[in-house]
Amino acid sequence: MGAERRAKPSVDICIIVEGCYPFVTGGVSSWLDWLIKSLPQYSFAIVAISPTSEPAEIVYDMPDNVMIFRKISLHQSASHGSSAQLQPDLDPAQFADSLSRIVETGQLKDFSDVISLLRQDSRITRDSLMNSRVAWETIQIMYDRHMPHGSFLHYFWAWRALFGGLFAMLLAPLPRARVYHTISTGYAGLLAARAAIENQRPALLTEHGIYTNERRIEILMADWIAETMDSGFSIGDDRFDLKKMWVRGFESYGRICYGACSKIVTLYKDNQHLQRILGANEERLEVIPNGIDWMRFSEISRATDEMRPTMALIGRVVPIKDIKTFLYAAAKVRKNIPELRTIIVGPIDEDKGYYNECLSLSTDLGLANCVQFTGRLDITKLLPEIHVNVLSSISEAQPLVLLEAGAAGIPAVATDVGSCRELLLGQPDENPKLGPGGIIADVASSDQIANGAMSLLSSPDLRRRYGESMAERVHQHYNNIDVLKRYTDLYDGCLKQVDGIPWPA
Amino acid sequence: MAGIGFELQKLSARNTLFAQISAATHGAVVATGPWLFTIVSLALIAIATESLADREVLSTFRVVVFYGFCLSSIAASPAIITGVRLVADAIYAKNIGEVPAVFLNCLFWAALPTALVGFLVYFVAFSLPIFAGVIAITTCVLTSLIWVSTAFCSAIRNYRIVTLSFLFGMIVVTINSILMAKLNQGVEGMLIGMNIGLCTIAVSLINQIFVTFPHPVNSNAVDPIGFARSIADRWMLCVGATIASIAIWVDKIVIWYSGAGETVLWGLRHAPIYDSALFVSFLCIVPALAQYVVHIETNFYRQFQKYYHDISTHACLRDIKDNAITLKVRTQNAVLGIWHRHIIVCSIAFLLGPTIIVTIGLEYKQLSIFRMGTLGALFHFLFFACSSIILFLDRQRLFLNLQIIFLLTSLLFTIISTLGGESYLGVGYFAAILISAMLSYFAMIRVLNDINFLTFISNNKL
């Protein structure tokens, strides 16, 4: 799909998504697919941002109410024109100043200034902003300003990556929509901010994980980004280090998005703390959790005490799900419960290397007859056999699997990441208190996971009590009917704002 | 591939007169071996056979040798430039084992087009008898193999072998050709004698290359189709090299077919009044080219390596800019330094023109052509040096454009000059090379001024 289905001047909602839907399966993609399909009264456009211009397979059936689909690449191959033909009408010093302010402050006004600057010359292309002499002068001015003693080679490539994505967002064609809804900050957030400024239409943000935080962790752990500055013990050093440049770049992009969005939604309260630190306006913050089809899952039969004790991890076989810790925990549980059955339900083809490592580990731990990797399956078929749901992830937002299994009355043992604590133990202000729906463990602690699983597997009464608490919690707070109503109210409110407002010239 | 240049530089650094002369001599052979050897051989043969063979036979023999030179240099250009690039990449990546296979592929793709072009010229354009045509085509092919081997000789460090190969080959050519002339074997016989000498040189050089790179070659590595694809991938480079070769010969071809031209056996055309004077005048360029091999190719390569090394080891921008300025200044000084010495050589040749003409047995009316040739040689070095540096920095389109300018101006001005009569022969070539040299010099300076932009942006378009 690359073209408009109907000749409509605009759609109701333009969804802007980065690095997932509709090319990659996962929690965010599934949530978005469900949201669009559940709101047939609105017309949607989807702008999917991907890292490269390589063709990618769409793995979801495009909903009928998606009128426009566009794929934008952050990085693309250059034209082969001579550099002499690519000179934008920009003053390098002024351009460098504008870009520097974006990275240093992340203010919406600075972003708006860059948009205005680029609109002064209609011939500007991404090619001319990346490969022209103006670009070269700009890079040198910014290098002298930020990192005059650092590795120029590193700075050069960091600049190209950071600002290449920015330019792609500033120049990409934007569908006309009455509301723009971005599913993360980062580059998707920049595009939404641009849409809000240029088209004078409201922008919304729903953050599952905090994009800026995830990038910060990646950058700090990246050993390919050299430490280019020895700041000693100084904590007040204003100079840019390459890693700092990357982190501040993404933080600024996040601030720009927060500044542009009239509503900043996240899945759980703890996430709002990070959003506030990054400058999100308190009045715009809102929590709308994930919702599931509680009716469908609550009707699933429970696993009986007579069945073989079964613990399951429902998730992709990838490092972030820390399947290996789960396997270590399973080995410990099996020592006490020899008839234990362990299943891992989820795609195994995303990281073949990691999957093979897990298989080897499973054999080494003597679990070959106890552990089963099922691959992608309809979990409703397996939930009736599961006594305990385990989630050993290193990082999560608001895992749907806890909600779905919880609705089916299955208690969980989960690591203390994302909103897992909130899901299993309830929010501090939960009223009435529903009691624990599971057990929280530390990240990578196979002992705690094993102990939690054993206590649930060996005590049917505890298991039943926790399962019922969990089911009730999901019913009251994570029901998709309520979630849909919240989003409907959000969209309707924004659509009313723009009724009758003409498009800018 | 400046390996031999580095060895010659070490020789030159010994600071004795003998070492300096040796370095210059070997440098001259590496830079101009085939051409130098041909001029000297033909001169010796002409002197020795003046009374032995028919004038038309001697002229035809000379013409076929020139044609062999011309056709092989043009037809083999794409293969040579591609082969040199592939070997340079292999040496840089430390995949030395690939070199013999590349060399074999290069020999094939130099010989085959040369044979085809030779066939078209000798059997289609002209109507040589079969035996004569086959021998003439053999001359072309053997010359093309020598062109390839000479280009690869840049990577050989044993310069003595290169020089001895040409020297010995020259002796064989001269003796055989004189013998054949004495035995009244006609053009064909003299060409067979020539081919034996060419074969000697080719075999010696090819052998030396395999001695330098003694890696086994398996049948999978010898991949003519793959090499043809490499030529196609580097089409701009190949077209540039081919046009450069044509441009060197275009003035001569125009004059062969002008009023100054003459027909020898089998309808072959030449212009003895022009060819001999110009070829002799062009000997002025030999010392400059020798110095280029010994000093510019090596020092520029060294400086450029430093420039790149500092970037890849994370120098700051100020250091990168300083290195770029140093590279530019040193390159400019080196080129102009040699050119200033070249001015002296050409000036001496220009002033001593009458003496030189008489001494080597040319006609006095060829003096103006000889002098135009020396002036042309003066600027031709500048053009060659600047174009080579532009090509080294991978500015392929600019290199191509400069060669096209030289070709078109040489063609146009030579045609115009033929209208003025014999006194104006050579003016067309001189005017063309003057313009091209100036353009190439300023283009080289511009490229060197821009080297940071070219390195970071032009080579990494996103």
Side-chain angles (χ1 to χ4, degrees):
Chain A
M1 248 190 91
E4 286 143 69
R5 280 188 181 173
R6 298 187 220 156
K8 256 184 129 176
S10 68
V11 296
D12 294 323
I13 320 288
C14 176
I15 301 283
I16 304 170
V17 59
E18 183 182 328
C20 54
Y21 187 80
F23 306 116
V24 180
T25 55
V28 175
S29 294
S30 300
W31 171 85
L32 192 51
D33 187 61
W34 161 80
L35 183 73
I36 296 171
K37 284 174 175 160
S38 305
L39 298 172
Q41 67 272 37
Y42 302 117
S43 58
F44 285 89
I46 294 173
V47 175
I49 299 168
S50 72
T52 68
S53 51
E54 297 293 316
E57 190 195 346
I58 295 177
V59 298
Y60 286 88
D61 293 327
M62 202 57 69
D64 288 336
N65 54 339
V66 171
M67 300 294 124
I68 301 170
F69 173 73
R70 289 222 181 109
K71 178 173 172 267
I72 297 175
S73 308
L74 286 176
H75 304 292
Q76 62 201 48
S77 53
S79 73
H80 293 289
S82 111
S83 300
Q85 298 158 359
L86 303 173
Q87 301 307 315
D89 185 17
L90 291 170
D91 171 41
Q94 187 187 10
F95 192 41
D97 197 47
S98 300
L99 293 178
S100 295
R101 279 206 305 276
I102 285 183
V103 173
E104 287 161 9
T105 68
Q107 295 300 308
L108 194 63
K109 187 197 169 305
D110 297 322
F111 182 66
S112 181
D113 287 345
V114 170
I115 294 174
S116 304
L117 199 60
L118 296 188
R119 294 294 169 260
Q120 287 172 13
D121 183 356
S122 60
R123 297 163 309 154
I124 284 178
T125 59
R126 187 176 171 280
D127 219 351
S128 65
L129 293 177
M130 295 288 280
N131 299 321
S132 65
R133 290 185 187 277
V134 168
W136 175 238
E137 293 299 317
T138 305
I139 293 172
Q140 292 179 85
I141 293 169
M142 290 180 72
Y143 168 85
D144 283 336
R145 184 164 164 165
H146 295 140
M147 262 176 63
H149 303 293
S151 161
F152 182 72
L153 185 66
H154 275 150
Y155 183 85
F156 174 78
W157 285 112
W159 190 99
R160 297 261 255 174
L162 204 54
F163 291 107
L166 171 68
F167 298 149
M169 296 306 104
L170 290 175
L171 298 172
L174 209 50
R176 278 194 161 185
R178 296 160 71 195
V179 176
Y180 293 88
H181 185 182
T182 177
I183 314 303
S184 67
T185 57
Y187 296 109
L190 288 178
L191 192 59
R194 176 192 149 205
I197 292 168
E198 284 191 341
N199 291 348
Q200 289 164 25
R201 293 297 183 269
L204 306 172
L205 166 66
T206 297
E207 281 197 284
H208 288 241
I210 301 295
Y211 180 102
T212 311
N213 202 44
E214 289 166 4
R215 298 293 83 72
R216 186 190 293 119
I217 293 168
E218 278 171 12
I219 289 160
L220 291 175
M221 288 173 62
D223 52 13
W224 60 268
I225 304 177
E227 293 289 344
T228 54
M229 193 178 73
D230 179 8
S231 53
F233 293 112
S234 166
I235 57 173
D237 199 323
D238 281 337
R239 288 177 297 163
F240 263 49
D241 174 74
L242 200 65
K243 288 193 177 182
K244 202 196 249 186
M245 175 181 160
W246 277 102
V247 169
R248 279 175 78 160
F250 282 118
E251 283 179 356
S252 296
Y253 291 173
R255 273 198 207 90
I256 288 167
C257 179
Y258 290 148
C261 288
S262 54
K263 263 291 178 223
I264 300 165
V265 175
T266 189
L267 303 183
Y268 55 98
K269 268 195 157 24
D270 276 353
N271 255 0
Q272 291 183 326
H273 173 64
L274 284 169
Q275 291 175 327
R276 284 188 198 95
I277 289 174
L278 285 168
N281 188 318
E282 183 70 43
E283 287 167 9
R284 302 183 194 181
L285 297 179
E286 187 169 337
V287 172
I288 303 179
N290 276 334
I292 59 146
D293 185 350
W294 184 83
M295 282 299 283
R296 179 173 164 234
F297 285 94
S298 66
E299 285 169 358
I300 291 174
S301 58
R302 310 305 199 237
T304 64
D305 300 343
E306 290 71 36
M307 284 179 176
R308 186 176 167 191
T310 302
M311 72 179 201
L313 186 151
I314 304 170
R316 298 168 293 139
V317 180
V318 290
I320 204 165
K321 297 292 183 188
D322 200 6
I323 309 294
K324 291 181 183 177
T325 296
F326 174 68
L327 290 172
Y328 281 118
K332 287 172 187 151
V333 173
R334 191 156 175 256
K335 283 193 183 128
N336 291 293
I337 305 177
E339 66 276 26
L340 176 73
R341 179 184 170 217
T342 309
I343 43 179
I344 297 166
V345 186
I348 57 174
D349 52 358
E350 206 175 302
D351 189 334
K352 286 253 163 72
Y354 185 74
Y355 169 59
N356 289 331
E357 287 170 21
C358 293
L359 279 179
S360 300
L361 179 62
S362 171
T363 308
D364 292 344
L365 292 171
L367 297 173
N369 294 331
C370 157
V371 167
Q372 182 190 1
F373 289 85
T374 67
R376 204 186 303 263
L377 269 189
D378 178 1
I379 64 165
T380 58
K381 307 261 186 299
L382 270 178
L383 287 177
E385 300 170 27
I386 298 170
H387 293 97
V388 175
N389 181 24
V390 177
L391 197 64
S392 51
S393 303
I394 295 167
S395 172
E396 286 284 356
Q398 193 167 72
L400 287 170
V401 65
L402 289 185
L403 300 175
E404 289 165 351
I410 302 172
V413 179
T415 44
D416 194 4
V417 294
S419 64
C420 291
R421 179 178 289 271
E422 196 176 285
L423 292 177
L424 296 189
L425 305 181
Q427 293 188 36
D429 57 354
E430 187 177 64
N431 189 14
K433 296 273 184 227
L434 298 171
I439 296 169
I440 290 293
D442 290 334
V443 171
S445 174
S446 57
D447 282 341
Q448 290 182 20
I449 292 172
N451 290 339
M454 270 190 298
S455 58
L456 289 169
L457 283 169
S458 54
S459 171
D461 190 51
L462 184 72
R463 193 167 66 240
R464 230 182 321 276
R465 207 158 17 93
Y466 278 25
E468 283 166 9
S469 298
M470 191 66 201
E472 188 54 31
R473 180 169 292 118
V474 174
H475 182 218
Q476 287 193 20
H477 302 294
Y478 302 100
N479 195 320
N480 64 355
I481 295 172
D482 297 330
V483 171
L484 276 177
K485 179 155 188 333
R486 303 271 302 270
Y487 271 104
T488 305
D489 291 342
L490 203 55
Y491 285 155
D492 283 344
C494 290
L495 289 169
K496 272 208 190 78
Q497 278 178 35
V498 299
D499 265 343
I501 296 180
W503 287 95
Chain B
M1 286 214 302
I4 205 167
F6 287 111
E7 290 303 310
L8 291 173
Q9 206 175 46
K10 281 186 213 165
L11 173 63
S12 166
R14 282 189 208 158
N15 238 351
T16 64
L17 184 59
F18 177 73
Q20 300 293 317
I21 293 171
S22 297
T25 308
H26 291 302
V29 172
V30 169
T32 61
W35 171 64
L36 196 62
F37 134 85
T38 304
I39 299 283
V40 174
S41 301
L42 288 178
L44 290 172
I45 292 166
I47 294 166
T49 59
E50 204 176 346
S51 55
L52 290 174
D54 183 52
R55 191 173 167 274
E56 199 173 36
V57 165
L58 291 174
S59 296
T60 306
F61 167 71
R62 225 172 11 245
V63 167
V64 173
V65 170
F66 282 159
Y67 275 40
F69 231 78
C70 169
L71 298 176
S72 61
S73 71
I74 293 169
S77 299
I80 293 171
I81 196 112
T82 302
V84 164
R85 278 285 167 118
L86 289 173
V87 165
D89 290 346
I91 292 174
Y92 178 78
K94 296 186 173 38
N95 293 333
I96 310 293
E98 288 179 12
V99 174
V102 171
F103 179 55
L104 283 174
N105 288 323
C106 193
L107 286 173
F108 176 79
W109 279 109
L112 181 65
T114 303
L116 287 172
V117 168
F119 176 85
L120 288 171
V121 169
Y122 290 129
F123 289 121
V124 177
F126 299 103
S127 304
L128 265 67
I130 292 178
F131 184 57
V134 167
I135 297 171
I137 291 173
T138 308
T139 307
C140 294
V141 170
L142 288 170
T143 312
S144 75
L145 298 182
I146 294 173
W147 283 124
V148 173
S149 305
T150 311
F152 276 64
C153 280
S154 306
I156 297 175
R157 294 193 166 229
N158 192 343
Y159 46 81
R160 286 189 192 86
I161 289 289
V162 176
T163 305
L164 285 172
S165 300
F166 278 106
L167 189 61
F168 184 65
M170 191 176 73
I171 294 169
V172 170
V173 162
T174 308
I175 292 172
N176 281 344
S177 300
I178 295 170
L179 199 62
M180 289 296 179
K182 210 169 173 174
L183 295 173
N184 283 323
Q185 295 303 304
V187 178
E188 293 91 327
M190 292 181 76
L191 283 175
I192 290 173
M194 175 71 145
N195 288 349
I196 294 172
L198 291 175
C199 203
T200 309
I201 298 171
V203 166
S204 176
L205 292 178
I206 291 170
N207 175 64
Q208 190 53 39
I209 289 165
F210 282 116
V211 163
T212 307
F213 300 100
H215 304 276
V217 181
N218 65 45
S219 55
N220 290 335
V222 182
D223 178 16
I225 306 296
F227 192 87
R229 259 188 242 117
S230 298
I231 292 175
D233 288 345
R234 291 164 180 78
W235 69 268
M236 196 179 291
L237 196 62
C238 293
V239 169
T242 307
I243 289 179
S245 300
I246 297 172
I248 289 170
W249 287 93
V250 72
D251 60 311
K252 295 145 196 80
I253 296 170
V254 168
I255 289 172
W256 291 347
Y257 284 90
S258 71
E262 293 174 10
T263 307
V264 291
L265 286 176
W266 309 317
L268 300 176
R269 296 281 299 178
H270 76 140
I273 185 175
Y274 185 76
D275 297 345
S276 47
L278 205 71
F279 284 140
V280 169
S281 69
F282 227 66
L283 288 170
C284 299
I285 208 175
V286 172
L289 289 181
Q291 288 179 74
Y292 178 86
V293 167
V294 177
H295 296 294
I296 292 191
E297 221 175 39
T298 48
N299 290 337
F300 178 79
Y301 177 79
R302 220 181 257 123
Q303 198 64 40
F304 188 76
Q305 285 289 87
K306 179 183 175 358
Y307 169 77
Y308 241 88
H309 176 260
D310 283 1
I311 290 173
S312 59
T313 52
H314 305 294
C316 66
L317 182 61
R318 191 184 58 198
D319 288 345
I320 292 170
K321 283 181 174 174
D322 287 346
N323 286 343
I325 291 170
T326 304
L327 178 67
K328 177 203 148 191
V329 167
R330 286 193 181 171
T331 303
Q332 196 175 358
N333 289 346
V335 169
L336 290 178
I338 295 176
W339 196 56
H340 291 156
R341 291 189 283 279
H342 187 44
I343 290 174
I344 297 169
V345 170
C346 291
S347 302
I348 292 171
F350 185 92
L351 291 168
L352 292 180
T355 310
I356 295 170
I357 290 286
V358 166
T359 306
I360 60 175
L362 295 179
E363 294 178 46
Y364 202 77
K365 63 179 176 176
Q366 292 177 282
L367 178 62
S368 60
I369 299 168
F370 175 81
R371 280 182 161 161
M372 281 294 123
T374 57
L375 292 176
L378 174 65
F379 289 97
H380 208 128
F381 166 75
L382 194 61
F383 179 67
F384 166 78
C386 297
S387 299
S388 299
I389 287 167
I390 286 167
L391 194 60
F392 183 92
L393 294 172
D394 209 30
R395 298 296 106 205
Q396 295 181 22
R397 190 172 290 278
L398 180 58
F399 175 81
L400 172 64
N401 290 343
L402 288 169
Q403 305 311 314
I404 289 173
I405 288 170
F406 179 38
L407 172 67
L408 292 177
T409 50
S410 188
L411 178 67
L412 177 67
F413 293 152
T414 303
I415 291 172
I416 293 171
S417 73
T418 58
L419 302 172
E422 282 180 359
S423 321
Y424 289 90
L425 294 181
V427 172
Y429 160 68
F430 167 66
I433 197 61
L434 171 65
I435 293 168
S436 304
M438 292 295 108
L439 288 174
S440 68
Y441 177 76
F442 290 117
M444 180 191 76
I445 296 299
R446 201 178 125 215
V447 167
L448 288 170
N449 275 336
D450 232 4
I451 188 142
N452 288 334
F453 176 80
L454 296 172
T455 302
F456 282 94
I457 300 285
S458 298
N459 286 348
N460 296 292
K461 286 201 172 170
L462 280 184

